[in-house]
Amino acid sequence: QAANVGFCRVIKLAKPDAWKLIFATTALLVASLSNLLVPKYGGKIIDIVSRDVRRPEDRAQALADVNGTILYIVMIVVTGSACTALRAWVFNSASERVVARLRHDLFSHLINQEIAFFDVTRTGELLSRLSEDTQIIKNAATTNLSEALRNLTTTAIGLGFMFSTSWKLTLLSLAIVPVISAVVRKFGRFLRELSHQTQAAAAVASSIAEESFGAIRTVRAFAQEPHEISRYSGKVNETLKLGLKQA
C-alpha cells in the first residue's frame, strides 16, 4: 500500500532551485498585486468622472486626473505582464529540473533493489512510475505550488483592500469561509485517493502492454491477440472511468 506523502517532502525536490523559486515568487507577488490594482484604479476613474465638474477648471482638472490614472494603469499592466512572464519562465524551467532529478533518483533507487523486488513487480508498472507519476509530482512541486502561492497572495492583498473599504462587510463575507474550508478539505482527500487509483490502473495497463510486446512471438504462436487486446482494453476502460470520475 502506497504511503501518503506530505507536501513538504515534495517541496524538498525543488530545494536545489530555491533561489530561483524565491525570485519567481517575488515576481508572482508583484503580478498578483498588479491584478488587484487595475480594478482599484479603474474605480478611481469612475470616481473622477462622477464628480461635479461644472466649471471649466474643474473639467480640466478631471481630465488631467483621468489621464494620469490611465497612465498608472498602463504602467501597472506592463509591469504585471513582465512579472507574469518571468514567473512562468522560472517556474517552468525549475519544474523541468525537478522532474529530471526525480527520475534520476527514482531510477537509481529501483536499480539497486533486490532481485525479488523485480520478481513481484511488473516492468511496465515501473516504467509508468518513471514517466507518468514523475510528471504529476513535477506539477505538484512547481506549477501547483505557483498557483497556490498566487491564490494565497491574491487573497491576502484582496482582504487588505476589503478591510480598508469596509471591515464590517468583509467580516460578513468571511463568515462562510469555515464551512467552505471543511467541505474542500474532505473533497481534497477524496480526490487524492481517486488520483492514486487512477495512477495505479494506468501503471497496470502499461505493464500489460509491456508484457504483450515483450512476448509477441508467444502471443502470435498461440493466436492470443484478441485475449491480450481484451486484457489491455479492460484496464484502459478502468482508467477511463476513474479519470472521468476525477474530472
Side-chain angles (χ1 to χ4, degrees), residues 6-18 21 98 101 105 141 145:
F7 194 69
C8 292
R9 185 177 172 186
V10 177
I11 296 301
K12 288 181 180 179
L13 295 171
K15 190 175 181 180
D17 298 306
L21 293 176
V98 166
R101 194 178 304 119
D105 293 345
L145 175 63

Side-chain angles (χ1 to χ4, degrees), residues 187 190-191 194-196 198-199 241-247:
F187 186 65
F190 169 74
L191 282 181
L194 199 57
S195 177
H196 287 169
T198 304
Q199 291 305 117
K241 290 178 182 178
L242 291 169
L244 291 176
K245 189 175 181 181
Q246 189 172 1

Side-chain angles (χ1 to χ4, degrees), residues 21-22 91 100-101 118 128 184:
L21 293 176
I22 291 174
F91 267 112
R101 194 178 304 119
F118 296 98
S128 177
V184 168

Side-chain angles (χ1 to χ4, degrees), residues 178-243:
V179 178
I180 295 177
S181 299
V183 174
V184 168
R185 184 177 179 83
K186 189 172 183 180
F187 186 65
R189 290 176 178 173
F190 169 74
L191 282 181
R192 181 172 61 183
E193 181 61 30
L194 199 57
S195 177
H196 287 169
Q197 295 176 11
T198 304
Q199 291 305 117
V204 174
S206 297
S207 67
I208 291 174
E210 188 271 338
E211 289 175 0
S212 300
F213 294 145
I216 189 63
R217 296 182 183 277
T218 305
V219 172
R220 288 286 175 85
F222 291 92
Q224 291 297 302
E225 292 92 337
H227 174 68
E228 294 301 315
I229 293 173
S230 176
R231 289 177 63 211
Y232 184 74
S233 298
K235 283 301 175 182
V236 169
N237 289 334
E238 181 182 340
T239 306
L240 174 61
K241 290 178 182 178
L242 291 169

